Amino acid sequence: MRRCNSLIPILLSAVAFAGEASAQEVTSREAFAALSGGGRSINCTVKPLREVALAAPAPGIVAKVHVRPGQHVAKGDLLIELDTRVLRAELALAEARAGDRTRLEAAIVRRDGARIKEARLAQARARKAVAASEHDAAALELSLAEAEIAQEMQALALSVLEVQRAQAVINSMQLRSPVDGVLDEALIDPGETAAGEPLAVIYVNQPLRVEAFVPAALLAGLVAQEEFSVVINGAKGKPLSVELDHVSPVADLASNTVSAFFRLENNAVLPGSKCEMTVLGGAE
């Protein structure tokens, strides 16, 4: 597959740092091959594209495990269930509170009584049959009764939200796979405590990630190449095409190499397989 042109500045900087030929001296793959005398085989590793660690949303006890180590899982598959007995009790309590309207109904009764009282005293005040202060007290009582109704309605609304929150927490205790992948061997067992450590690790293997350890002297050859391929487990007659993803911006000074990362689309290749890659420029 074609190389990513956006990586050329990074690679050229590394070449200049290593004291090798500049980019202007490498005009094509053929020219560089003639200059360097061929290609050189370098080692690479095959890894999962990424590892996804599945954690519990809260501490708890594992109730059920629906999968086994090494199993292929799809996004959305149910993997693990945590014990939700305490949470379901809290949900039942929240539902009871959300359905209890006795306080609201009592407040409505008090409001209706205060409204009748205030209306009568208003009429009496108009006839100057009662003092103004008596009517004012009735009006204040009505206002307080109306405020009490608003308060009880707000409390019921909060109770409904508490029910939704409790249900969401229970749902989160059903752990589903966020990706397509393969389960690692380190899978938690029923009865174990979920607290901090991952309950499962999922390897995303398609595409695979190939890391090649490129000597600094060969970086110009990597720039010159138009296509890349790897040999898996010594099958030299069956090279597999890979796509250049990115190059590490930092060199390993101890080995004088730079890691180049590629993507490999092949269901038959397993992570950990022996891997080799040829890079133009065999001269040291």
Side-chain angles (χ1 to χ4, degrees):
M1 297 184 180
R2 298 294 180 186
R3 57 182 167 79
C4 179
N5 290 332
S6 63
L7 297 174
I8 292 179
I10 297 176
L11 296 175
L12 294 180
S13 297
V15 172
F17 174 78
E20 298 300 320
S22 66
Q24 289 76 17
E25 296 174 312
V26 183
T27 58
S28 68
R29 180 171 60 174
E30 292 76 16
F32 186 85
L35 181 67
S36 61
R40 176 182 167 187
S41 178
I42 61 174
N43 292 327
C44 49
T45 61
V46 180
K47 303 177 180 179
L49 179 65
R50 58 193 176 105
E51 299 178 8
V52 179
L54 193 65
I61 304 298
V62 176
K64 295 180 181 179
V65 177
H66 297 274
V67 289
R68 62 185 184 279
Q71 179 176 335
H72 288 264
V73 295
K75 183 178 180 179
D77 283 353
L78 178 60
L79 307 182
I80 298 168
E81 291 185 73
L82 302 183
D83 190 338
T84 58
R85 286 175 293 181
V86 174
L87 294 173
R88 292 190 181 280
E90 294 178 355
L91 174 61
L93 180 60
E95 289 175 337
R97 288 172 178 168
D100 185 5
R101 296 177 58 87
T102 55
R103 293 175 61 89
L104 175 61
E105 291 171 355
I108 292 174
V109 171
R110 285 191 290 272
R111 187 275 316 272
D112 291 344
R115 181 176 292 168
I116 294 173
K117 180 179 179 180
E118 187 277 335
R120 289 176 177 174
L121 289 176
Q123 293 176 355
R125 180 180 181 179
R127 299 193 306 269
K128 297 183 179 180
V130 296
S133 59
E134 189 173 351
H135 173 254
D136 291 342
L140 177 59
E141 182 181 351
L142 175 59
S143 296
L144 291 175
E146 291 174 339
E148 184 181 5
I149 289 175
Q151 184 178 17
E152 293 299 331
M153 292 180 66
Q154 180 65 23
L156 284 175
L158 292 176
S159 296
V160 172
L161 293 178
E162 184 63 24
V163 170
Q164 296 175 355
R165 186 199 70 84
Q167 186 62 65
V169 173
I170 289 175
N171 294 341
S172 71
M173 293 300 180
Q174 292 186 337
L175 304 181
R176 299 181 180 275
S177 177
V179 293
D180 297 341
V182 180
L183 286 167
D184 180 57
E185 294 294 322
L187 182 65
I188 199 167
D189 293 321
E192 293 186 323
T193 302
E197 295 297 325
L199 278 63
V201 175
I202 305 170
Y203 295 129
V204 179
N205 291 338
Q206 292 305 318
L208 290 163
R209 189 183 195 208
V210 176
E211 179 180 2
F213 307 99
V214 184
L218 302 182
L219 282 176
L222 192 70
V223 173
Q225 287 189 231
E226 294 292 335
E227 296 180 348
F228 302 91
S229 62
V230 294
V231 172
I232 302 298
N233 295 328
K236 296 185 181 297
K238 298 180 179 179
L240 302 176
S241 296
V242 293
E243 177 184 359
L244 181 60
D245 188 17
H246 69 282
V247 175
S248 174
V250 180
D252 183 354
L253 297 181
S255 61
N256 197 26
T257 61
V258 177
S259 291
F261 297 93
F262 301 81
R263 296 165 73 95
L264 171 60
E265 296 274 2
N266 194 298
N267 293 326
V269 178
L270 296 177
S273 299
K274 182 180 177 181
C275 175
E276 295 178 273
M277 172 181 289
T278 298
V279 178
L280 292 177
E284 293 291 341

